[in-house]
Amino acid sequence: MGVIPWVSWYALRRYSAYPLGSMAEAVTNSFFGVVRAGIVIALWHARPGLGGYDTADAVTYSFLTQSLIGPVQIFGGMELAQRIRSGDVAIDLHRPVNLQAWWLADDVGRAVSTLALRGLPPMLVGGLFFTMRLPGPGEAAAFTVSVALAVLLSFALRYLITLSQFWTHDERGVQAVTLVLSLFLSGMIVPLVAFPEPLGALARALPCSGLIQVPADVFLGRRAGGALLSGLAFQAGWAAALLAAGGLLTRAAERRLEAQGG
């Protein structure tokens, strides 16, 4: 397992190699944060207190979700998909490291790089032009833990989707459907607290809500005490279950590759 920290370190360096490209993406995220903030201000003025949020909460939520797009890779897949498609995954399976552990380490490096280069600018832009709600030290620490769990959960979901390519031969159809669902069910488009019931309750019970909605609520101070612990446990529980499923699917994929390739 000693190689795993090195995988994360080199992934961090690789994904940080083009800071200007990352900054361009940060500018784009910030621009859409401003657009979304204008929309939610109009919506919350029309329906004050929607979902228990005030206008400052809703604006903060808009910029915070733009900051989290990169770390939780809400729009993206995995480089592993290309390696499965090309057959290079056979090399990965012969490494003295579990396939899932290797790519998790790579994804951690990617997430740290993306958070550093793309996460802060949207929040700075939001604070510059709008009234936003900022967390206290305790809430900031809890938010850090929640974001780490969101990254883990995101990887677990994307890894399962990517491995489906061993059976479908092309994961892009599954990826497209999952993308549409995750955009709505994570809270990326609209906070899940604004969903009508029972749709809101169902969305909050699904793992996608742990990608955006739970970290955002922690940041906004809407989870404290038992609610905070239950939110973090929700993320950790889904991540553990999906990682376990990923481990089982990895072994099944290895057997399939051996059966097809000899």
Side-chain angles (χ1 to χ4, degrees), residues 3-252:
V3 72
I4 293 299
W6 288 103
V7 175
S8 291
W9 171 245
Y10 282 111
L12 174 61
R13 293 180 59 186
R14 179 160 59 95
Y15 286 103
S16 303
Y18 301 99
L20 290 180
S22 297
M23 290 305 296
E25 293 174 330
V27 170
T28 302
N29 290 343
S30 300
F31 170 77
F32 280 104
V34 172
V35 172
R36 292 182 63 198
I39 294 171
V40 300
I41 287 173
L43 177 60
W44 258 260
H45 280 175
R47 296 189 61 185
L50 178 63
Y53 283 20
D54 60 21
T55 304
D57 289 333
V59 169
T60 304
Y61 188 97
S62 298
F63 284 99
L64 185 61
T65 53
Q66 292 299 126
S67 295
L68 291 176
I69 285 176
V72 302
Q73 197 79 332
I74 199 75
F75 289 106
M78 292 181 63
E79 184 182 339
L80 175 60
Q82 300 172 6
R83 296 185 66 80
I84 295 174
R85 196 175 299 121
S86 67
D88 289 341
V89 70
I91 299 172
D92 298 344
L93 291 171
H94 279 88
R95 289 182 178 132
V97 180
N98 176 268
L99 182 72
Q100 187 179 36
W102 177 283
W103 285 100
L104 174 57
D106 180 86
D107 202 61
V108 168
R110 177 206 59 78
V112 172
S113 169
T114 307
L115 184 62
L117 295 174
R118 291 174 56 185
L120 187 58
M123 296 301 292
L124 292 176
V125 170
L128 207 59
F129 295 103
F130 299 91
T131 300
M132 292 178 56
R133 194 175 305 284
L134 298 178
E139 291 163 345
F143 174 70
T144 301
V145 175
S146 186
V147 169
L149 290 172
V151 169
L152 190 62
L153 178 56
S154 168
F155 168 80
L157 285 166
R158 289 180 289 113
Y159 184 77
L160 285 173
I161 294 166
T162 301
L163 285 195
S164 71
Q165 189 174 348
F166 277 100
W167 289 268
T168 64
H169 305 295
D170 192 331
E171 93 296 349
R172 283 173 290 190
V174 178
Q175 178 68 41
V177 173
T178 306
L179 171 60
V180 173
L181 290 175
S182 63
L183 283 174
F184 285 95
L185 297 178
S186 67
M188 181 66 213
I189 303 299
V190 178
L192 299 183
V193 294
F195 279 25
E197 300 300 343
L199 178 59
L202 175 61
R204 290 190 294 272
L206 295 174
C208 287
S209 67
L211 302 179
I212 298 291
Q213 185 66 58
V214 174
D217 280 343
V218 172
F219 186 92
L220 293 171
R222 292 174 56 85
R223 285 183 176 270
L228 172 60
L229 293 177
S230 68
L232 298 179
F234 173 85
Q235 290 178 287
W238 269 116
L242 294 174
L243 287 172
L248 293 174
L249 203 61
T250 300
R251 288 193 284 274

